[in-house]
Amino acid sequence: MKLENLNIIIADDHPLFRNALRQALSSAFNNTQWFEADSAEALQQLMDKNEAPFDLIMLDLQMPGSHGYSTLIHLRSHYPDIPVVVISAHEDINTVSRAIHYGSSGFIPKSSSMETLAEALNAVLYGDIWLPAGTQIVPVSDDATDQMASRLSDLTPQQYKVLQMFAEGLLNKQIAYDFGVSEATIKAHATAIFRKLGVRNRTQAVIALQQLEMEKVNLS
């Protein structure tokens, strides 16, 4: 595989970091087209547009709307052919282990040098799993969080977006307007979401989604 003419997404809410990544990696990956997303919603819009056959997604776990591991889980469920590399300032072994458990092809600390970053991306693009030197992955227990992650992966892209809007506190009529559909359609989505997540209402659905936020998972 010749690592050029690639389409890579940088999903991070800090514009200076995105710009630094793009500039530093441009010399290592020739003729690469870079796409940027500053939130989970912006990332989903990129995926929906399908502007290009994406080769890699570099994902920050704490973008607005991401709710920790939920975006990673959603991407691996619905775009399994696109490798996702987590880039995070959280470098503890629990975070790394969870990221790999939920399908990340690698974990790159934000403190890494650009040389290390290029090395990691090369490894992932060639089909390997990349971890910082000396990292020892610990098993992830089959706990309530892991069970919710499995249920979340069953949501369709539209259902996942509706759930994110629930978390933002939007009303059904507001969501319907954004989607360009009837309120009854959103209610049908909600019913399906509740059933798949094993909850009874939108409050419980949002609480279920929040279980995947890193602080709550890592302190458990």
Side-chain angles (χ1 to χ4, degrees):
M1 178 180 178
K2 194 173 182 179
L3 297 182
E4 59 181 23
N5 300 316
L6 300 172
N7 296 301
I8 297 178
I9 298 175
I10 301 174
D12 189 285
D13 62 329
H14 294 93
L16 291 177
F17 184 72
R18 295 197 308 271
N19 186 58
L21 276 181
R22 192 177 64 251
Q23 290 187 348
L25 293 171
S26 291
S27 59
F29 298 94
N30 297 326
N31 303 317
T32 291
Q33 186 170 4
W34 301 94
F35 298 81
E36 296 184 17
D38 60 2
S39 66
E41 181 181 3
L43 176 57
Q44 187 60 57
Q45 288 173 353
L46 270 179
M47 307 306 291
D48 290 342
K49 289 179 182 176
N50 197 23
E51 293 180 3
F54 297 117
D55 298 288
L56 180 72
I57 299 172
M58 301 164 64
L59 177 68
D60 178 11
L61 293 174
Q62 291 194 304
M63 288 191 304
S66 278
H67 299 284
Y69 302 97
S70 67
T71 295
L72 171 62
I73 293 165
H74 174 70
L75 288 171
R76 300 310 302 138
S77 176
H78 294 284
Y79 309 96
D81 295 332
I82 305 175
V84 179
V85 175
V86 167
I87 300 183
S88 179
H90 295 265
E91 305 173 18
D92 61 281
I93 193 59
N94 194 11
T95 299
V96 178
S97 298
R98 286 271 179 184
I100 298 302
H101 179 69
Y102 294 138
S104 177
S105 294
F107 189 99
I108 307 172
K110 283 192 173 181
S111 59
S112 301
S113 67
M114 287 304 162
E115 292 78 10
T116 298
L117 184 61
E119 171 195 324
L121 297 188
N122 267 293
V124 170
L125 286 164
Y126 277 115
D128 296 329
I129 301 292
W130 191 92
L131 294 171
T135 300
Q136 296 292 326
I137 296 297
V138 297
V140 174
S141 61
D142 183 20
D143 55 14
T145 298
D146 203 41
Q147 292 168 18
M148 186 53 61
S150 178
R151 294 171 187 167
L152 186 73
S153 68
D154 289 336
L155 299 183
T156 67
Q158 276 197 325
Q159 290 167 355
Y160 180 68
K161 185 176 180 181
V162 170
L163 177 59
Q164 287 179 306
M165 290 178 164
F166 285 170
E168 293 171 13
L170 297 181
L171 301 174
N172 284 353
K173 63 181 180 181
Q174 293 172 306
I175 301 173
Y177 178 80
D178 186 76
F179 271 66
V181 299
S182 69
E183 193 171 342
T185 298
I186 300 304
K187 289 180 179 178
H189 280 313
T191 299
I193 292 167
F194 301 158
R195 175 175 50 80
K196 289 182 178 181
L197 296 185
V199 300
R200 296 181 178 180
N201 53 49
R202 68 154 61 199
T203 299
Q204 291 181 348
V206 171
I207 291 172
L209 178 64
Q210 291 172 343
Q211 286 183 30
L212 294 164
E213 292 178 358
M214 293 166 60
E215 293 84 356
K216 295 182 180 180
V217 172
N218 292 344
L219 293 176
S220 61

